Amino acid sequence: MSHLTILRTYAQSPSPSTALPPSILFAHSPSSLTIFDAYPKATFHFLILPRIVSPLTASDLASLKALLNRDKATAKDIIVGLREDALVLKASIEEEMVKRFGYKWDIWIGFHAVPSMEHLHLHVISSDLVSPSLKNKKHYNSFHPKLGFFLHLDDVLSWFDTDPSFYTRMSKLEKSEYEPLLKEDLCCYRCNESMKNMPTLKSHLQEEWDNETKSAKTKLEKAKLVQNKRKRNADENPTNVQAKTNEPSGSVTDKSELEEPFKKRIERDDDS
DNA sequence: GTTCTAGAAC
DNA sequence: GTTCTAGAAC
């Protein structure tokens, strides 16, 4: 069995849960399979595959390019379907992030412009890009969120609503246009700093993620303190909650801690 | 897609 | 001498 066609074999399976072990298959529906990427390029990395069900053929679903260059309405249906599955998956990844790491961080959903394996597959990958399987420049650049090789799902969906000539142009997905991107110099997608080589980039990505984790946890701790303080104040003075919560706290120096809940309150007022 | 390894880069 | 990349082989 060739590694290059293994995904098609999965997608053709009439009974995925009996054919595939739970170490490969994460979930499935009548229209798709969600599998663990065999060589995850981040802490969380899954693939969503559309199943080959009539009237679709393996060749319709060979790649994003193949799909976009067939019937436009069908292509949109398939991609919208994959999106729904991806959002469900994203929610369960976030739940797992909170369980295992105490906070949640970005998850990217998209296609490679030029795939290296046959059969359409949607990547759902956490933004840390910290993984032993991320080994070379091509691996990294293929997921760099601003380089152009990784096609964010919502960008691809937006092509359907632009003028037809733009859709036609984007649907070409020419190898010659995208493959050179994989050879671009290494640079951190977060801070834009250029990196000499892969080992340097990998330790930098680890650092960036560590910093993200640290500040997320600090933020959560601060929020908890504010919450506890409000609760204490309310308990001490149940008849005058409003006056207490409006007191300036004095110790909070970071404005962003206050802006976020404030913004939400404004939005709620606007909605009603 | 990965593994292996020659030779470039340091 | 060691580290690292990138192309060939699978």
Side-chain angles (χ1 to χ4, degrees):
Chain A
M1 175 65 58
S2 166
H3 287 103
L4 287 81
T5 56
I6 190 82
L7 299 182
R8 173 180 299 157
T9 311
Y10 295 164
Q12 272 167 336
S13 174
S15 174
S17 57
T18 52
L20 301 174
S23 59
I24 295 175
L25 185 69
F26 179 76
H28 64 107
S29 75
S31 59
S32 79
L33 307 186
T34 300
I35 64 169
F36 292 95
D37 192 292
Y39 300 94
K41 304 305 190 294
T43 302
F44 298 93
H45 187 185
F46 295 83
L47 303 179
I48 300 184
L49 321 178
R51 295 175 72 175
I52 301 171
V53 289
S54 176
L56 291 161
T57 65
S59 91
D60 293 330
L61 296 171
S63 64
L64 183 60
K65 178 175 171 166
L67 182 64
L68 295 180
N69 286 289
R70 280 172 172 74
D71 172 50
K72 192 170 167 181
T74 309
K76 191 174 180 180
D77 283 349
I78 296 288
I79 296 171
V80 166
L82 293 176
R83 183 174 185 272
E84 284 169 17
D85 295 320
L87 293 178
V88 171
L89 173 62
K90 185 183 179 203
S92 54
I93 294 172
E94 285 175 338
E95 197 181 313
E96 187 67 11
M97 285 172 160
V98 172
K99 251 190 239 168
R100 280 168 51 189
F101 299 91
Y103 81 111
K104 59 191 180 190
W105 60 100
D106 287 353
I107 293 166
W108 299 328
I109 301 171
F111 300 100
H112 280 160
V114 181
S116 42
M117 292 175 87
E118 287 186 48
H119 196 74
L120 182 62
H121 50 285
L122 179 65
H123 291 272
V124 178
I125 183 168
S126 58
S127 62
D128 51 275
L129 300 184
V130 170
S131 166
S133 297
L134 189 120
K135 290 179 175 170
N136 59 43
K137 180 186 274 189
K138 187 175 164 178
H139 291 156
Y140 175 72
N141 281 343
S142 75
F143 288 104
H144 189 306
K146 292 176 280 192
L147 198 61
F149 189 91
F150 186 80
L151 306 174
H152 296 271
L153 179 66
D154 288 341
D155 291 342
V156 173
L157 277 171
S158 77
W159 301 347
F160 288 91
D161 302 320
T162 59
D163 65 85
S165 70
F166 184 79
Y167 177 84
T168 305
R169 180 152 63 82
M170 296 314 283
S171 303
K172 298 275 188 281
L173 294 173
E174 293 283 4
K175 263 192 193 184
S176 58
E177 190 171 336
Y178 288 95
E179 271 181 344
L181 296 171
L182 298 174
K183 301 189 186 251
E184 297 253 307
D185 290 347
L186 295 172
C187 93
C188 173
Y189 80 85
R190 298 189 198 242
C191 72
N192 251 32
E193 199 180 316
S194 73
M195 297 285 143
K196 229 203 312 283
N197 53 42
M198 280 304 291
T200 311
L201 172 68
K202 283 174 67 71
S203 30
H204 178 81
L205 288 171
Q206 176 75 61
E207 259 176 60
E208 287 275 16
W209 185 38
D210 288 346
N211 289 341
E212 183 180 46
T213 304
K214 215 180 291 173
S215 64
K217 288 193 170 170
T218 307
K219 196 171 174 181
L220 281 171
E221 278 309 308
K222 277 191 190 168
K224 206 186 281 176
L225 286 177
V226 170
Q227 209 171 26
N228 287 343
K229 189 168 192 172
R230 285 212 186 106
K231 191 179 182 304
R232 261 199 320 278
N233 287 346
D235 289 347
E236 283 165 14
N237 198 349
T239 58
N240 196 11
V241 175
Q242 196 59 45
K244 279 287 180 184
T245 51
N246 283 344
E247 268 183 10
S249 70
S251 63
V252 177
T253 51
D254 186 359
K255 248 190 172 177
S256 68
E257 297 302 320
L258 298 172
E259 277 168 1
E260 201 57 38
F262 181 68
K263 260 191 238 161
K264 281 183 184 158
R265 201 166 300 144
I266 298 287
E267 280 162 15
R268 211 176 302 133
D269 289 344
D270 288 346
D271 286 343
S272 60

